[in-house]
Amino acid sequence: MIYNKEKNPGWNFDNSYINLPNKLFTKTSPTPVSNPKTIILNKQLAKDIGLNIDFLLSENGLAVLAGNNTPEETITLAQAYAGHQFGHFTMLGDGRAILIGEQITPKGERLDIQLKGSGKTPYSRNGDGRAALGPMLREYIISEALHGLKIPTTRSLAVVKTDEKIIRERYLPGAILTRVASSHIRVGTFQYIANFGTLDELKELADYTIKRHYPNIEYIDNKYLLLIREMAKRQSSLIAKWQLIGFIHGVMNTDNMTISGEAIDFGPCAFMDIYDPDTKFSSIDRNGRYAYGKQPSIGAWNIARFAETLLPLIHDNKEEAIKLANDEIARFYINVNSFWINGMRAKLGIFNEEIEDENLVNELLDLIKNTKTDFTNTFKSLTINKLNVMQIFKTIEFVKWQEKWMARLDRQKESKLESEELMKSNNPSVIPRNHRVEEALEAADNNDFSLMHKLNNILSNPYEYSSEQDEYSLLPKDVQANYMTFCGT
Ligand code: AMP
Ligand code: MG
């Protein structure tokens, strides 16, 4: 492809995955689409990763985002992986995604640029390799909202609409999402090589992963055990953050858990309105395996699957290896709880630690649950001290709780103003409300993208406490008791 000089794309590829054992990927190219159109481009992200916005908006740029052309300086591939889906082990792989390359950003970070929905690959199984517009815009909205909420996540660079008609329950417009991630190495990638590769190949993947994501442990004794520990630590922080803002991933299969600690794959995810640990939204999660309250234990289950793959590298004696791995799972539980309770303290404006804090937090959560109250708006109201609207604040239980809370705040040296600031940076003023997301997607289906742009804008700084955000934090008139999300589309 010939680029005009003013529109130097900014590619700075340094592809390293391709040097891993061949089993881990297949070189393949996107399948061209007809009549692509850019629906949304994340200009800030483009800039941050060193790409030229003018180029991306040009015909040549669109051709790359649509998979109709590939930059000369890269080799594209689909990654192999396996995974436990709802507890069942399956062969998977990038069935509808293709890695365009690893971009080295101006800050020196290495990021995968991947097209999702870009056509069949050798791992497509019975799938068509394609994605529909709604789900790709949904991934865009949710991933960028998580980023705004300061939660580690894969990012969305662009969504391109195509003229392909995607056959789902009905014909849907096709789309391709450009995803940017620290890497796409998953628990499932390790499961794949542990099951179908040699010990040397497993070691190569583990060494590569350490170099790429945990360079601080590269030269430490028993770095493979430390890989479990460090990965589990990032996951404990990630999942605690989900719990603290009421995010339900919805499909925490082991292929949807990254080793980097970023949230990935936003199919049936949603934010909880009324607080209830049993909340689930995914239509395919019939038994509530991935319900809100189960996320920490499912996280541990997934990390156990990860640890299993590394057993032969941890210790020659299998029993000993299992014991060491189990210690790391125990450590995960301790960490997730400690990240969570510290996050909860911050949500209540508490700076220091007291043993009784966990009881204080749980008493409030019980009250929110029993009064069937909105999770986000309870904390928002406490933050701005607006306690005259919601019913929960009129109960005797709340008044009693509030006295304890006030006494607790009085026992720390920080002022009420400092507490308020802490609360403001930990309690979002707005989250992607399910009805707002649906409303934006429905309009987008009818070629009106204005609602989506407005929503993205409002969600970009959720700790801003603007009046526009107040409007978007309202619940729909009839809270969707039966709100369902669908994945695999
Ligand atoms: P997910 O549920 O999105 O994590 O996807 C699970 C697996 O199914 C992954 O290996 C995907 O690449 C694959 N997959 C999902 N949708 C399609 C599709 N339309 N065509 C081919 N593969 C797909
Ligand atoms: Mg997935």
Side-chain angles (χ1 to χ4, degrees):
M1 193 189 300
I2 298 165
Y3 301 119
N4 119 18
K5 260 204 179 129
E6 294 80 77
K7 290 193 178 162
N8 173 12
W11 302 128
N12 188 17
F13 290 126
D14 175 35
N15 298 344
S16 58
Y17 206 81
I18 203 148
N19 301 320
L20 283 168
N22 286 337
K23 239 173 236 165
L24 278 165
F25 60 87
T26 305
K27 291 180 198 169
T28 181
S29 299
T31 311
V33 293
S34 58
N35 202 17
K37 252 178 78 184
T38 301
I39 299 302
I40 186 161
L41 175 70
N42 192 335
K43 291 185 180 159
Q44 186 59 51
L45 178 61
K47 203 166 152 243
D48 291 347
I49 67 175
L51 296 182
N52 180 341
I53 295 162
D54 289 336
F55 164 75
L56 290 174
L57 289 171
S58 73
E59 217 170 289
N60 283 339
L62 173 60
V64 176
L65 298 177
N68 286 351
N69 215 331
T70 301
E72 269 172 9
E73 50 275 71
T74 191
I75 294 170
T76 58
L77 56 87
Q79 296 183 352
Y81 53 87
H84 276 93
Q85 297 199 301
F86 293 91
H88 303 284
F89 189 70
T90 323
M91 260 304 295
L92 298 160
D94 289 333
R96 56 169 171 174
I98 289 177
L99 180 65
I100 295 302
E102 292 160 39
Q103 170 83 358
I104 308 298
T105 71
K107 279 193 185 153
E109 290 167 295
R110 175 183 300 273
L111 297 176
D112 276 7
I113 300 182
Q114 190 200 57
L115 299 184
K116 183 169 173 181
S118 52
K120 280 191 189 171
T121 76
Y123 311 108
S124 294
R125 297 174 293 160
N126 295 322
D128 59 4
R130 292 296 182 196
L133 181 63
M136 292 306 98
L137 291 178
R138 196 179 157 71
E139 171 153 348
Y140 189 110
I141 295 168
I142 302 289
S143 62
E144 289 309 299
L146 284 184
H147 176 69
L149 286 158
K150 305 201 188 309
I151 295 183
T153 173
T154 66
R155 306 288 307 278
S156 297
L157 179 66
V159 176
V160 165
K161 187 180 172 183
T162 76
D163 257 5
E164 318 300 297
K165 288 277 163 271
I166 310 300
I167 311 169
R168 296 292 182 259
E169 63 280 10
R170 59 191 167 98
Y171 282 103
L172 295 169
I176 296 166
L177 171 89
T178 308
R179 177 157 73 183
V180 176
S182 280
S183 87
H184 286 84
I185 306 169
R186 308 143 191 269
V187 170
T189 316
F190 278 83
Q191 290 182 293
Y192 172 80
I193 209 75
N195 275 277
F196 306 110
T198 64
L199 193 59
D200 278 347
E201 287 170 332
L202 171 69
K203 200 160 168 290
E204 255 186 84
L205 176 66
D207 287 339
Y208 174 87
T209 305
I210 289 171
K211 209 179 188 72
R212 186 159 173 180
H213 295 300
Y214 301 94
N216 53 317
I217 60 169
E218 198 177 351
Y219 300 107
I220 300 185
D221 277 355
N222 212 347
K223 59 183 173 177
Y224 305 111
L225 182 67
L226 287 177
L227 174 59
I228 302 171
R229 182 173 307 169
E230 296 294 310
M231 179 277 194
K233 191 158 184 201
R234 285 196 200 167
Q235 286 296 338
S236 62
S237 162
L238 176 70
I239 293 171
K241 284 182 172 148
W242 291 354
Q243 302 306 92
L244 290 164
I245 49 140
F247 176 72
I248 303 168
H249 182 282
V251 61
M252 287 174 72
N253 293 330
T254 55
D255 53 300
N256 290 337
M257 182 179 264
T258 61
I259 308 300
S260 69
E262 287 177 345
I264 192 171
D265 261 5
F266 304 100
C269 60
F271 284 72
M272 177 171 64
D273 294 313
I274 289 171
Y275 175 75
D276 183 346
D278 290 336
T279 308
K280 62 159 192 124
F281 294 116
S282 169
S283 61
I284 54 170
D285 188 7
R286 289 197 189 85
N287 302 319
R289 178 180 169 92
Y290 300 139
Y292 171 76
K294 295 223 178 110
Q295 295 188 128
S297 58
I298 280 293
W301 193 88
N302 288 349
I303 291 161
R305 304 290 78 73
F306 176 54
E308 266 168 14
T309 70
L310 291 168
L311 290 179
L313 299 179
I314 296 175
H315 204 284
D316 293 338
N317 178 322
K318 196 169 175 196
E319 296 305 308
E320 191 55 32
I322 291 173
K323 192 189 156 300
L324 290 168
N326 276 335
D327 289 347
E328 299 308 325
I329 310 298
R331 204 187 283 260
F332 167 84
Y333 276 111
I334 293 168
N335 282 337
V336 80
N337 194 57
S338 108
F339 280 124
W340 175 80
I341 186 64
N342 283 336
M344 274 293 174
R345 284 191 179 103
K347 282 173 88 71
L348 292 175
I350 298 172
F351 286 85
N352 60 343
E353 292 179 18
E354 282 185 14
I355 300 274
E356 277 299 299
D357 289 340
E358 198 151 343
N359 284 341
L360 186 73
V361 168
N362 284 329
E363 272 176 38
L364 177 65
L365 291 177
D366 283 346
L367 188 56
I368 306 178
K369 182 176 178 233
N370 295 339
T371 50
K372 296 191 177 3
T373 306
D374 184 78
F375 180 74
T376 306
N377 287 349
T378 302
F379 285 97
K380 178 178 180 178
S381 300
L382 292 176
T383 302
I384 54 178
N385 196 22
K386 191 174 172 206
L387 306 181
N388 54 351
V389 183
M390 293 159 79
Q391 204 55 41
I392 182 175
F393 301 126
K394 296 178 184 149
T395 61
I396 296 175
E397 289 86 352
F398 175 76
V399 176
K400 281 190 190 154
W401 179 86
Q402 192 186 20
E403 273 172 25
K404 284 191 218 169
W405 178 41
M406 286 300 137
R408 174 68 183 86
L409 293 183
D410 286 341
R411 286 199 297 276
Q412 61 185 10
K413 66 176 188 329
E414 287 79 5
S415 68
K416 287 275 155 61
L417 199 66
E418 285 169 296
S419 280
E420 191 188 316
E421 286 307 313
L422 181 65
M423 290 175 76
K424 272 197 168 154
S425 53
N426 284 279
N427 295 315
S429 153
V430 67
I431 51 162
R433 293 279 174 195
N434 302 324
H435 67 293
R436 289 296 189 180
V437 175
E438 294 308 322
E439 164 191 88
L441 296 183
E442 212 174 297
D445 248 353
N446 294 314
N447 278 320
D448 171 5
F449 303 105
S450 60
L451 292 183
M452 181 192 59
H453 289 302
K454 188 169 179 209
L455 181 62
N456 285 334
N457 206 9
I458 283 172
L459 293 171
S460 65
N461 184 3
Y463 302 105
E464 191 182 14
Y465 280 79
S466 69
S467 52
E468 232 179 357
Q469 290 179 335
D470 286 344
E471 194 192 323
Y472 273 69
S473 63
L474 295 177
L475 292 164
K477 283 194 187 69
D478 50 337
V479 172
Q480 321 95 304
N482 297 315
Y483 182 71
M484 279 279 160
T485 56
F486 299 90
C487 87
T489 53

